[in-house]
Amino acid sequence: MSIVKIENVRVLDPIAKTDRIETIFLQNGTRVDASDDVERTINGQGKWLMPTMVDLCARLREPGQQQHGTLKSEGRAARHNGILHVITPPDSKPIVQDNGSLIHGLQEKAMLDGGIYLHIIGAQTQGLNGKQPANMAGLRKGGCTAVSNAHAPFENDDVVIRTLEYAAGLDMTVVFYAEEPQIAKDGCAHEGFVASRQGLPMIPVMAETVAIAKYLLMIEATGVRAHFGLLSCGASVELIQIAKAKGLPVTADVAMHQLHLTDQLTDGFNSLAHVRPPLRSAQDKELLRQGLKTGIIDAICTHHEPLSGSAKMAPFAETLPGISAFDTYIPFGIQLVKEGLFSPLEWVEKVTLEPARVANMVKRWQSESGWVLVDPELEWTVSKENMLSKGKNTPLIQQKVQGKVVEIFLP
């Protein structure tokens, strides 16, 4: 039961809403009173101490796609980058998230192999086929508190309504990654000048906003609690703002890369910038930032999607979408602070307490969170060698960034 003393560290505590420099004592990841029984002392000057993070959307690729990532490789990457609770969509291959009895085994494996708490969003329809509701009661019994059809289309709107009514009766959250398939079609890039000049199939903003508008009407009619993940457009922020003003039970998140990167990165058919939803315009990026700042968007997620090198070695439209995001999550967050969008404490809230609230797990997160020591000034170059994720697919390869987790203290 050793005690660690951290001197003169900037403690960012979103629960107490405090941001101050102090000396603290940690015993197995938990704050304790001052003690003489100190085994180790750390000079925390210039460093930040924050709780471990909660990620609302990450794909770890296991089961079924271990060539891209495993619970061991991606769990380790998440944990060592300060992310302890990881929530994953139900679209693994094969799909097992429509069977509540299989979910507990995956969660145990994630802790044993990767040292993380895995939270699995259940399938909204059987096998994500979009036709028949999944056994949500069984999923609830298996530990799922939310369901989603991920990016799989529904056969028709009647199926959507029936699943929303089913979820509402079980007090489950429905997670939407909103995209209207008839509008998005076979697109792979934002509808704009860059994609048009390169002749890439495009995904207009309307593919997202039409879907959100339709789902909001269904949410209002059924009363189901809903979360909109991975917003990419400024117009989507406006729709969520209207829904919240009406009192609808909705929340939203945005991927960290959408707050920094734009469709300009796809110039030259840069497949490392191929992600879905696509990187949007500079104006969309600014409106997403403002939506987050004002609280219309509740939280930030990684949208981590590790991919093997071969998955990005094809013509742009034929490559798999996805960015490996665990290793750059802290530097991107600190960049938001350095650019003046957030205070350090405000940023910490968006990656810890707020996603825990969205996932209805604040008490559990508090009891299991531990602490993360961050050096916000540490400069390093992103490389395939120093990324912990098995996926090296990031447009930040060989770029200098600032900020890194230097130590974690867990219960």
Side-chain angles (χ1 to χ4, degrees), residues 369-383:
S369 68
W371 293 88
V372 180
L373 189 63
V374 174
D375 187 341
E377 302 299 330
L378 181 62
E379 189 174 275
W380 58 286
T381 301
V382 180
S383 70

Side-chain angles (χ1 to χ4, degrees), residues 42-43 47 59 63 67 81 104 135-136 159 170 207 242 254 258 277 287 300 308 313 331 362 372:
I42 298 173
N43 181 6
K47 296 180 176 64
R59 289 179 173 86
Q67 74 273 25
N81 284 291
H104 186 64
N135 179 7
M136 293 187 200
V159 175
L170 293 167
I242 293 168
V254 60
Q258 295 285 6
L287 291 171
I300 309 173
S308 65
M313 295 176 64
V362 172
V372 180

